[in-house]
Amino acid sequence: MSEKMMQAIQVRRYGGPEELVLESIPRPQPGEGEVLVRVHAAGVLPIEWKVRQGLFKSVRPSTFPYIPGSAFSGIIAEVGPGVTAFNIGQEVFGRSNNGAYAEYTIAEVETLALKPEQISFEEAATISGGATVAWSALFENADLQPGQRVLVHAAAGGVGLFAVQFAHWRGAQVIGTASAANARFVSSLGADIVIDYTRTPFEGLARNVDVVLDTMGGEVLERSMRVVKRGGILITLLGQEPSQQETNRLGIRAMRNAPTFPFPSTSLLQNIARLMATGQIRTTIARTFPLSEASEAHALSETGHGRGRIMLKALLDRA
Ligand SMILES: NC(=O)c1ccc[n+]([C@@H]2O[C@H](COP(=O)([O-])OP(=O)(O)OC[C@H]3O[C@@H](n4cnc5c(N)ncnc54)[C@H](OP(=O)(O)O)[C@@H]3O)[C@@H](O)[C@H]2O)c1
């Protein structure tokens, strides 16, 4: 019997966007507790070009070749042994550990949920790595409460746009940073104050905040610690561990985001999708590229600017 093949992006060594090459490779087989999904959309997350560049090679070296991508949506094509929660033909979304920049990917059922029909495949693929991260940071780690003040950096980005909406939905006062081009967009998500970080230091308007969601690291992280009020908390999504000496001096807490596992769980994915399906939370797609143009999609993501999540779409006309 001839092996079933698929188109997938392969990375064979660290380097620039040109290292993302579309190749024909064998279709993977789902194992115990896994499903094979025909991918309709895959989100492009900044971590994926950072890994491709080799930024994490000393701490987490890549095994080559690999297929990038984790956030996806699609239709179940096969179910592995022991899977009872999902069936062939169901529309699903979630996280894959096997690479989502491909026509097919393998997902564990623990990080998979049914896609509501009210949201598109592309919208569903913005949830993992975006909405799920904002949710875990604000609600699981920072325990954000109604009436608290929260500062969300990169409020127009793939994580920030959800963080602003979740915080507003919870009844917090929301301050977001974005360039002027995204200011109205961030306001429309529910931010009470939008700071154009290109013109105004955020410290001027964001003071005594209960929670900071840091999506930038470095100097923004250092400066953000000083706008948190005593007893408040800063959650950073970047690798840099906040200085404990500084947090002690300021009387605040600061930590790297630490989601609970499995992440994202089926129930978290379902909760967020329900909020989107009922129109309480919305998402934004920055731009959609065909899978064959993954290198262009990475080059755009690497600019660090824009609005919403960049998407890759698999070639749906192929059998
Ligand atoms: N640890 C984790 O679990 C985890 C998970 C998800 C993300 N992350 C990290 O979190 C960061 C954000 O992720 P993302 O997916 O939201 O990225 P993204 O969508 O690429 O973010 C782009 C946004 O960043 C804004 N921006 C750029 N420079 C800024 C600055 N100095 N101040 C404020 N906003 C600025 C841009 O706004 P303008 O266009 O208006 O300039 C743009 O809207 C990335 O570094 C990512 O790797 C970590």
Side-chain angles (χ1 to χ4, degrees):
M1 203 175 85
S2 71
E3 208 173 15
K4 287 183 178 166
M5 304 296 282
M6 69 172 185
Q7 299 277 302
I9 295 294
Q10 293 266 273
V11 176
R12 297 191 169 274
R13 59 177 174 229
Y14 296 120
E18 68 284 357
E19 298 302 337
L20 300 169
V21 180
L22 191 67
E23 293 182 13
S24 187
I25 62 169
R27 203 186 282 185
Q29 292 281 310
E32 184 93 25
E34 295 176 339
V35 297
L36 178 73
V37 178
R38 176 84 159 90
V39 177
H40 280 228
V44 173
L45 308 180
I47 185 86
E48 290 148 13
W49 54 257
K50 294 177 189 176
V51 170
R52 191 210 68 227
Q53 287 179 352
L55 297 185
F56 303 116
K57 66 180 165 195
S58 58
V59 281
R60 239 184 305 144
S62 298
T63 308
F64 299 106
Y66 74 87
I67 305 171
S70 67
F72 75 93
S73 62
I75 296 179
I76 297 182
E78 283 177 37
V79 297
V83 173
T84 53
F86 293 94
N87 299 313
I88 291 173
Q90 285 180 321
E91 297 184 352
V92 291
F93 72 101
R95 179 191 164 91
S96 158
N97 289 322
N98 292 272
Y101 293 9
E103 287 183 311
Y104 291 87
T105 193
I106 300 283
E108 292 172 23
V109 294
E110 288 183 321
T111 56
L112 192 69
L114 291 177
K115 180 186 82 61
E117 62 182 25
Q118 296 92 335
I119 65 174
S120 69
F121 282 107
E122 283 163 287
E123 288 172 328
T126 68
I127 295 177
S128 179
T132 54
V133 176
W135 184 285
S136 80
L138 293 180
F139 299 146
E140 293 172 3
N141 287 281
D143 192 25
L144 183 70
Q145 297 297 319
Q148 287 190 323
R149 256 160 94 79
V150 54
L151 170 63
V152 176
H153 285 295
V159 175
L161 77 91
F162 285 108
V164 169
Q165 293 180 85
F166 289 150
H168 177 69
W169 171 76
R170 183 53 63 94
Q173 189 197 10
V174 189
I175 305 167
T177 64
S179 67
N182 284 321
R184 284 175 66 158
F185 169 68
V186 173
S187 295
S188 77
L189 300 173
D192 300 281
I193 299 170
V194 183
I195 302 171
D196 175 359
Y197 70 87
T198 66
R199 287 164 175 261
T200 314
F202 58 83
E203 293 90 333
L205 289 163
R207 287 200 210 109
N208 284 320
V209 305
D210 297 279
V211 175
V212 174
L213 178 59
D214 167 48
T215 51
M216 304 306 301
E219 181 224 10
V220 171
L221 165 60
E222 305 292 331
R223 287 167 49 207
S224 295
M225 288 210 261
R226 299 196 285 270
V227 305
V228 179
K229 72 180 187 198
R230 286 189 89 77
I233 185 165
L234 177 146
I235 308 288
T236 181
L237 300 186
L238 280 297
Q240 177 190 351
E241 199 65 64
S243 153
Q244 291 308 310
Q245 204 182 344
E246 184 69 351
T247 55
N248 291 343
R249 189 182 72 77
L250 295 165
I252 66 169
R253 288 181 299 143
M255 60 183 279
R256 287 163 61 186
N257 193 40
T260 49
F261 283 88
F263 184 73
S265 65
T266 300
S267 63
L268 176 59
L269 293 166
Q270 271 170 349
N271 286 343
I272 294 168
R274 201 174 301 124
L275 290 174
M276 283 169 63
T278 52
Q280 296 178 77
I281 296 289
R282 63 190 159 99
T283 187
T284 298
I285 315 294
R287 199 168 146 192
T288 302
F289 293 85
L291 192 56
S292 55
E293 292 176 17
S295 49
E296 283 85 346
H298 267 214
L300 180 61
S301 179
E302 283 179 60
T303 67
H305 300 287
R307 184 182 302 175
R309 182 65 71 217
I310 298 165
M311 276 298 138
L312 293 175
K313 271 197 100 159
L315 313 163
L316 294 173
D317 50 332
R318 289 168 47 94

